[in-house]
Amino acid sequence: MKPLSKTIENLKPSGIRKFFDLASTMDNVISFGVGEPDFDTPWHICENAVYSMSEGKTHYTANRGLLELRKLIAEFHRIRYDQHYNPENEILVTVGGSEAIDLAMRAMINPGDEVITMDPNYVAYTPAIEMAGGIPVIIPLEEKSEFKLTPEALKNAITDKTKAILINFPSNPTGGVMTYEDYEKLVPIIEESGIYVVSDEIYAELTFDGEFASLAQFPSIRDQIVVINGFSKAFAMTGWRLGYVMSNPNLSAAMTKIHQYIIMSAPTPAQYAALEAMTDGLSDVSHMRNEYMNRRNLLVSRLNRMGLKTNMPHGTFYVFPNISQTGLTSEEFCNRLVEEQRVACVPGTAFGEKGEGFMRMSYACSMDNIIEGCDRIEAFLASLEQKQEENPSNRS
Ligand code: PMP
């Protein structure tokens, strides 16, 4: 048989999947692993999709998506985030934020172009860069700077070959966010270098303390910014597969060209559901955000109390506790935790080498699970300590 694509063969399988294949073989597991809301999509949103189908709205839409929906998206971003995009030629509705990431990479990368991204980062970024023929350049993020992107690190990573930087705040996996003041310091560097910034803002609505900030709010670099967002996280709509990408008209036309050939148009019932979400779904979002915030507060305080140092994340539904003082690697810690106590968390290394010494816990699960899960983690830590006391030479 002829060989398959080398690029695809060389892609590493996701560390998350590998771990969950193991956890799924066990009973009575408390999972902090899921990367999606535990809430179901609010029913009035589903109902609008059902209604649209009963009205015969079962055909393709415009390639860019329903104009009515793009108008609502433009309005939403103008009012909530001070981001200004023209629904006619600057917004494209996609199959989740996932397609939008792929389109942005494919539309801008020539073979050998460098794209900067971060470590730890969302698992799909490096593959998306590589599949488009780009070379990933990694900026390590530090716990001591709350996993933010600093101007020094950005400046050092940019070369003549840099085409873009791919960022994600609030961040999966760290929960880190960038404030307006943090971004302000990056603006001159971005402006001078002329690079694109692909800003994955899928967790924007799940920002807890203070307002969400974005590089697209700075007019001098506005045309260099590509904003990716979607309905999955904010409206608990992961299965509907609906997102969007906003950028300058030239880039938007290039992405639409790819989208037109590979997708045609995003699923029509999902677009009708999204119309309802944008019209009447914001109170649901605020309800879910409050619930996540309560869970975050409980989880972070329990983890710190049991001795796992955990930054207070300002967004998403993830925490990123530091487990390094146990002397175990992230993978050993998570493997033993699931085997000995039936608690599933994702090793930090699934998100890059800098994730060593950490694990990602999603609190998109019930309060009861958080309490029971924390009790079990505490028992696990106590058993580690006991083993170390019995055999001090194990301490590494
Ligand atoms: N970006 C980030 C940072 C994510 O965490 C996810 C989902 N886990 C996505 C993009 C993709 O989301 P979707 O395709 O469901 O919109």
Side-chain angles (χ1 to χ4, degrees), residues 35 96-98 101 122 125 168 172 200 202-203 232-233 241:
S98 303
I101 296 165
Y122 174 48
Y125 293 156
N168 166 230
N172 174 8
D200 179 350
I202 198 110
Y203 294 99
S232 287
K233 313 291 169 165
R241 310 306 308 124

Side-chain angles (χ1 to χ4, degrees), residues 36-46 80 203 205-208 230-238 240 277 280-297 315-317 363-365 367 370:
E36 63 169 332
D38 55 319
F39 299 101
D40 292 331
T41 307
W43 179 247
H44 64 106
I45 294 177
C46 303
R80 274 186 87 73
Y203 294 99
E205 277 300 304
L206 302 182
T207 307
F208 303 128
F231 295 88
S232 287
K233 313 291 169 165
F235 297 95
M237 290 177 67
T238 45
W240 296 84
D280 246 340
L282 278 185
S283 57
D284 302 301
V285 177
S286 105
H287 163 75
M288 291 189 268
R289 183 173 41 237
N290 285 339
E291 185 61 30
Y292 289 132
M293 206 160 66
N294 292 338
R295 296 174 191 177
R296 173 200 68 168
N297 293 346
T316 70
F317 38 67
Y363 47 91
C365 60
M367 280 285 193
I370 292 175

